[in-house]
Amino acid sequence: MRNFTSVKDVADIGALVEKALQYKSNPLKDKALGAGKRMGLLFLNPSMRTRLSTQVAAANLGMECIVFNIGSEGWALEFEEGTIMNGTTVEHVKDAAPVLGKYFDILGLRTFPSLKNKADDYSELYIQQFIKYSDIPVVSLESATLHPLQSLTDLVTIIEFLSLKKKPKIVLSWAPHVKALPQCVANSFAEWVNAWGQADFVITHPKGYELDEKFTKGAAIIHDQAKALAGADIVYVKNWSAFTDYGKILSDDSNWMLTNKKLEVTNKARIMHCLPVRRNVELSDEVLDGKQSLITEEAGNRVWGAQAVISEILKSL
Ligand code: CP
């Protein structure tokens, strides 16, 4: 593996999930693999889980990890080619990224979309420019449209906690939110579950919240949440803003928030959310604190997903 920006960078999903679970059983089994190697983690946006789990994962592999909150502490970066830089940006990525390539062996990058210009966001300009100019492997710590480390971990958690004697029913359920959020987590979850191909996959949301078909193709889209939840083994809850009417909040209908009553039609479904979560807006206290919730296990597993990916890249250096 050279870069990790989507499921397309993974040759064998099952093997990568297995590798993550092996690290969970024995975190330090490859402690020598990253000795003498250094990973830079660049954050243009806030993070808790991604930042800390990646640091722990790199340390488990014997790497040194340096975090740079470039969005708040660094020079304002320019990403467009050929720009006359007489505005607010101070340094072009084509000058900054090669320097970072001299300091580090692997680079991790977190960016968010603008949610204003769909074409720009969906071109993934920021992460693509770092890949182009850094000359070292780049790991997405969430990009404008995808969150592959989250989705890998979600699959690890599903496989860990479900008995896969029968094909599981996985439901991605839109939830209300007070802010317009990216489509990244939902796009990425859909892309990974579809690529895995071992589930009956349903996506449920109010009309107007259809995601980009290039990620969802293969899933059943159902606008009736109760119908979608029937028989579900996993319910993955997430808010996203509209893709078609780009970045807009079309509904904040609190009836879409999951409750224990709604879960009665499921197959005692386990509940997942990537966190952070707005309690009693996206998900009720009773569901988050209930026995069926997997949210803490899911976030804990972020270490093993990241460790599996970093170790694959280290082997290719
Ligand atoms: N799920 C997730 O990416 O969390 P952070 O934003 O805290 O990294």
Side-chain angles (χ1 to χ4, degrees):
M1 190 188 288
R2 167 75 185 175
N3 301 302
F4 182 74
T5 62
S6 85
V7 75
K8 295 191 179 71
D9 295 312
V10 179
D12 184 337
I13 296 173
L16 195 62
V17 167
E18 181 53 32
K19 189 177 192 116
L21 289 169
Q22 282 171 11
Y23 281 131
K24 185 166 186 171
S25 308
N26 188 359
L28 301 182
K29 77 185 185 75
D30 285 332
K31 181 76 184 170
L33 188 63
K37 299 277 192 279
R38 198 172 286 131
M39 184 163 185
L41 302 182
L42 305 188
F43 287 86
L44 282 150
N45 304 94
S47 166
M48 183 177 92
R49 280 144 290 267
T50 308
R51 170 178 170 157
L52 296 175
S53 62
T54 308
Q55 283 182 281
V56 174
N60 285 345
L61 292 166
M63 295 185 86
E64 185 186 358
C65 213
I66 295 177
V67 173
F68 182 25
N69 293 312
I70 191 168
S72 56
E73 296 164 6
W75 299 115
L77 286 179
E78 177 60 56
F79 289 89
E80 295 291 343
E81 301 279 358
T83 310
I84 299 169
M85 288 174 55
N86 57 1
T88 54
T89 55
V90 178
E91 180 164 33
H92 203 284
V93 67
K94 72 196 318 184
D95 301 312
V99 175
L100 297 168
K102 299 288 181 206
Y103 299 159
F104 300 114
D105 301 285
I106 303 175
L107 208 55
L109 179 70
R110 167 166 283 201
T111 68
F112 281 166
S114 66
L115 293 181
K116 291 186 172 66
N117 185 323
K118 178 155 73 175
D120 276 4
D121 289 345
Y122 274 69
S123 74
E124 291 284 11
L125 178 69
Y126 287 17
I127 197 158
Q128 289 307 325
Q129 291 286 63
F130 271 100
I131 290 170
K132 185 173 174 185
Y133 291 116
S134 67
D135 204 28
I136 55 172
V138 174
V139 174
S140 168
L141 305 174
E142 188 169 355
S143 65
T145 68
L146 293 170
H147 196 352
L149 281 178
Q150 180 68 53
S151 309
L152 166 60
T153 305
D154 294 335
L155 214 46
V156 168
T157 309
I158 288 168
I159 289 168
E160 181 185 7
F161 282 91
L162 276 193
S163 147
L164 291 178
K165 287 189 192 114
K166 72 166 186 70
K167 209 174 189 186
K169 178 174 178 181
I170 298 178
V171 178
L172 169 60
S173 186
W174 180 89
H177 204 285
V178 292
K179 278 181 67 182
L181 295 191
Q183 294 102 35
C184 310
V185 171
N187 283 344
S188 199
F189 185 75
E191 184 178 52
W192 279 74
V193 174
N194 277 329
W196 182 49
Q198 293 184 44
D200 288 327
F201 184 33
V202 173
I203 304 175
T204 185
H205 54 70
K207 282 187 182 156
Y209 279 103
E210 284 73 15
L211 294 160
D212 188 340
E213 227 185 284
K214 81 176 175 198
F215 304 118
T216 61
K217 204 169 172 31
I221 314 290
I222 298 178
H223 296 120
D224 179 337
Q225 190 189 36
K227 197 170 156 197
L229 291 174
D233 299 293
I234 293 283
V235 182
Y236 194 98
V237 180
K238 186 72 187 85
N239 169 269
W240 61 88
S241 59
F243 170 70
T244 304
D245 197 358
Y246 192 59
K248 297 284 186 310
I249 297 177
L250 307 176
S251 161
D252 60 357
D253 183 354
S254 59
N255 288 321
W256 275 80
M257 185 180 75
L258 212 59
T259 58
N260 280 343
K261 180 81 193 145
K262 286 190 179 189
L263 289 176
E264 284 173 5
V265 299
T266 70
N267 182 28
K268 296 190 174 66
R270 307 308 300 267
I271 309 304
M272 299 177 70
H273 187 288
C274 64
L275 301 178
V277 64
R278 298 259 186 163
R279 280 179 174 257
N280 303 311
V281 176
E282 285 178 88
L283 262 170
S284 58
D285 277 341
E286 62 177 8
V287 172
L288 281 166
D289 299 331
K291 287 200 184 92
Q292 288 163 239
S293 170
L294 281 178
I295 57 162
T296 307
E297 291 296 337
E298 180 184 0
N301 280 345
R302 290 293 306 272
V303 172
W304 320 118
Q307 195 165 334
V309 167
I310 297 167
S311 77
E312 283 298 305
I313 293 175
L314 282 171
K315 280 189 198 161
S316 75
L317 291 180

